[in-house]
Amino acid sequence: MDFASFIGIISGLALIVGAIFYGSSDFSIFINVPGIMIVIGGTVAATLLTFQFKDTMAALRAMFIVFAQDKQDPQAMITTMLSLTKIARREGLVALSRVDADSPFLKRALGMASDASDEEYIRNTLQADIDSLKMRHYVVQDVFKKMGTYAPAFGMLGTLIGLIQMLAQLDDPETIGPSMAVALLTTFYGSLLATVIFNPIAGKLKARTILEIQTLEIIRDGTVSLLGSNNYLAVYERLSSYVPAHQRKPAGIGGGD
């Protein structure tokens, strides 16, 4: 589980709820069912109008991934590719086909390498997979970005509806205060959803995508390196550039022959 995401959203909501209770003991004044219907219903409707249904559902599934899965570690993949370099040197490229890989992308790359496929073919094929993943992830991120835009807009729309209703009852001054409070609640709902949920999730998914793409690029370059040279240090130098210098493990770890 990614505890940073979980702690972030829980602490954000807790601080807002705490501020509400600190300023007022009556929490019910922040509950307005029509306002909730306008913001949530309008945001969902606009999102479905903007994106295909399958893309919207994929985005909702990705939202759970943010909390359920730990982020990928490029350094761990570098270590894996260096281990595969040792196997290729000792047993030949054919032995790579017998490696049990959890990643389908890595499994495919090793399969092409063991078949002695052309280096350019492997690079282009794996790059096409990476580009396809970028596009799919971009759409998922864009769903939450758009929701982060739509929610405040519908919140403002709800506020305008409330103000119109309030102005229609100006003959009763006692209703102005409560009516104004209800009108502003939809703006509160829209801003809350955008700043605490939608935009942070979009940002987290973007960060996850960057790490995943980096990991796939390590697999791509590592596989190509296996074809061109099985020299442990050469592969290490090529792949270690993907991580900051202070995070790199020494080349001697895992040792070459």
Side-chain angles (χ1 to χ4, degrees), residues 84-218:
L84 294 173
T85 301
K86 294 171 60 179
I87 294 175
R89 289 187 63 186
R90 292 172 177 172
E91 306 176 34
L93 293 175
V94 177
L96 297 177
S97 63
R98 299 191 294 270
V99 174
D100 185 17
D102 295 331
S103 167
F105 186 85
L106 177 58
K107 188 69 175 179
R108 185 183 186 192
L110 295 180
M112 288 189 289
S114 65
D115 290 338
S117 298
D118 178 75
E119 178 179 324
E120 193 65 23
Y121 170 77
I122 293 178
R123 181 183 296 277
N124 292 339
T125 301
L126 296 181
Q127 185 59 48
D129 282 350
I130 293 174
D131 292 340
S132 177
L133 179 138
K134 287 181 181 178
M135 185 56 62
R136 293 195 304 271
H137 284 207
Y138 172 80
V139 172
V140 169
Q141 296 163 26
D142 199 37
V143 169
F144 285 104
K145 288 180 181 177
K146 290 294 191 296
M147 293 177 77
T149 301
Y150 294 148
F154 277 99
M156 183 59 67
L157 181 62
T159 295
L160 292 175
I161 293 174
L163 290 176
I164 292 172
Q165 294 173 339
M166 181 192 72
L167 293 174
Q169 301 177 1
L170 283 180
D171 55 332
D172 186 2
E174 294 183 357
T175 65
I176 295 178
S179 298
M180 177 64 77
V182 171
L184 292 176
L185 277 178
T186 53
T187 296
F188 169 73
Y189 295 148
S191 298
L192 178 65
L193 289 174
T195 56
V196 178
I197 298 179
F198 298 144
N199 289 333
I201 289 178
K204 177 67 75 170
L205 290 174
K206 181 178 180 180
R208 288 291 187 90
T209 296
I210 292 173
L211 280 178
E212 185 170 355
I213 290 173
Q214 189 177 43
T215 301
L216 298 185
E217 289 176 342
I218 290 171

Side-chain angles (χ1 to χ4, degrees), residues 78 82 119 123 217-218 220-226 228-229 232-243:
I78 292 176
L82 292 174
E119 178 179 324
R123 181 183 296 277
E217 289 176 342
I218 290 171
R220 179 201 62 199
D221 288 354
T223 303
V224 172
S225 297
L226 290 176
S229 170
Y232 184 92
L233 289 178
V235 176
Y236 168 81
E237 291 297 338
R238 182 168 186 173
L239 299 183
S240 62
S241 61
Y242 279 99
V243 297

Side-chain angles (χ1 to χ4, degrees), residues 6-21:
F6 183 77
I7 293 173
I9 192 168
I10 293 299
S11 60
L13 291 174
L15 288 171
I16 292 173
V17 172
I20 290 174
F21 275 109

Side-chain angles (χ1 to χ4, degrees), residues 5-93:
S5 300
F6 183 77
I7 293 173
I9 192 168
I10 293 299
S11 60
L13 291 174
L15 288 171
I16 292 173
V17 172
I20 290 174
F21 275 109
Y22 183 80
S24 174
S25 59
D26 186 8
F27 188 77
S28 63
I29 63 175
F30 286 88
I31 305 299
N32 180 253
V33 176
I36 295 174
M37 292 172 58
I38 291 173
V39 174
I40 295 180
T43 300
V44 171
T47 302
L48 291 174
L49 184 61
T50 305
F51 300 94
Q52 297 183 49
F53 182 76
K54 64 177 183 179
D55 293 331
T56 304
M57 296 307 297
L60 294 178
R61 289 192 296 269
M63 179 175 64
F64 292 101
I65 293 176
V66 168
F67 300 100
Q69 294 183 0
D70 293 325
K71 64 181 181 179
Q72 298 191 24
D73 182 9
Q75 182 62 59
M77 184 53 65
I78 292 176
T79 302
T80 298
M81 296 308 298
L82 292 174
S83 299
L84 294 173
T85 301
K86 294 171 60 179
I87 294 175
R89 289 187 63 186
R90 292 172 177 172
E91 306 176 34
L93 293 175

